[in-house]
Structures are given as structure tokens and as C-alpha cells.
Amino acid sequence: LVLRPTTAGTATMPSNVQGYKEADQHEKAYQKQDAIFIGKKRVIGKPKRGKGFRFWKSVGLGFKTPKTAIEGTYVDKKCPFTGNVSIRGRILKAMVISAKMNRTIIVRRDYLRYVSKYRRFEKRHKNMAVHSSPCFENVKPGDVVTVGQCRPIAKTVRFNVLAHEPATNAALNVKKAFRMF
């Protein structure tokens, strides 16, 4: 098996290898999935049917694995569907208020707190940083996402996007609107 050099100076796998589709290469380091061994020896002749060169899994808990995670070419080690992250603990619904970072979004979680002195509830909210996998394309402010708790991924990130529902009302002010799910 001979690797061909590209114009960027990195080596790529030949395109004629059965079942292998190279990952998107737009980082300094070579991007590959940890669970897949690319250098496997193959017998010349009939192509074998079986497991391809893409690792993906079901996170369970009734969430379907997105089609873009199964058929895509992205590499994300923090993705709950194609990476090394398990979902455990809380499952929450929240509204996206910012999607300016790379693979990270800010969501607003609204809740009510009971004040016993006045026998009433007060509105409160918390903003959380959430990892958004590349399999969820076009996540915009105003969208509703379902997030699941995972191990700490970064300094402030402890949740991962599991499902995405596009916004129905684009005129809604997402920074201040109080919406409970």
C-alpha cells in the first residue's frame, strides 16, 4: 500500500481502497478516527462485505444516531456518536443563544425557583457551554437542542448535543426570551 503525497505535503490513502473514505483534512494534525486502523492488509480479488472504515455508535436513551454521523467524513473525538464520549447523568432541553465558536455553542436554560416567603416562583436562567458535533449542521440562535451530560470535555463544557430542532419563530429575541421545556 503506497501513500500518495498531496499538495499540502501530507499523505493520503489511495481512493481506490475498498470501503475507505478519507476524513476531512483541515487541521494541522492528520485527522483519523481512533477506533479504525487504516493500515490493514487487504487481499487482492473480491471485495469483502462487512464493516466499513467509519466508527459510529448509538448513545442509547432513545436518541437516534444522525445520518450525517454514519455517512459523514468528519473526525471529532468529542462527538457522542463517533468519538470517545459517553452520555450519562442529566438530559436537558435548552435554547441556543450563540453559535459563534468552533464546535461549541452557548445554550440558555430557563427554570423557576420557589421563594417560600412570598409563596411564588421567580424566573431564573443559566447559560451553558455545550459541545456541538459536526453532524448537527446549521445550528443557529433560537433553535432548541437536547443536551446530555458527559465527562468534562473542556474547562467549561460538560454537555453534548444529542438532538436538534430548528427554530419555528425566527423573530424571537433569543437572548432574553424565557422558555421552559
Side-chain angles (χ1 to χ4, degrees), residues 95-140:
M95 188 191 311
V96 178
I97 61 170
S98 172
K100 297 176 184 175
M101 287 182 275
N102 183 25
R103 296 186 180 180
T104 305
I105 59 174
I106 303 296
V107 298
R108 177 184 170 114
R109 189 175 151 247
D110 298 313
Y111 58 95
L112 297 173
R113 180 179 167 265
Y114 184 70
V115 181
S116 57
K117 179 180 178 181
Y118 301 110
R119 295 185 194 163
R120 283 174 172 78
F121 290 93
E122 65 180 2
K123 295 176 184 175
R124 288 197 171 187
H125 83 276
K126 286 276 191 256
N127 290 348
M128 296 188 320
V130 176
H131 181 76
S132 179
S133 173
C135 66
F136 297 107
E137 299 162 337
N138 304 324
V139 177
K140 298 182 292 295

Side-chain angles (χ1 to χ4, degrees), residues 57-76:
K57 64 182 179 184
S58 171
V59 296
L61 305 169
F63 293 100
K64 285 191 169 183
T65 305
K67 206 173 224 24
T68 50
I70 299 169
E71 299 170 355
T73 58
Y74 71 89
V75 175
D76 185 13

Side-chain angles (χ1 to χ4, degrees), residues 2 6 8 19 24 29 38 51-52 62 71 77 85 99-100 113 115 117 120 123-125 128 151-152 160-161 165:
V2 179
T6 61
D24 298 332
I38 298 171
K51 191 175 173 190
E71 299 170 355
K77 65 180 183 179
V85 175
K100 297 176 184 175
R113 180 179 167 265
V115 181
K117 179 180 178 181
R120 283 174 172 78
K123 295 176 184 175
R124 288 197 171 187
H125 83 276
M128 296 188 320
R151 63 173 169 81
N160 234 313
V161 175
E165 303 164 20

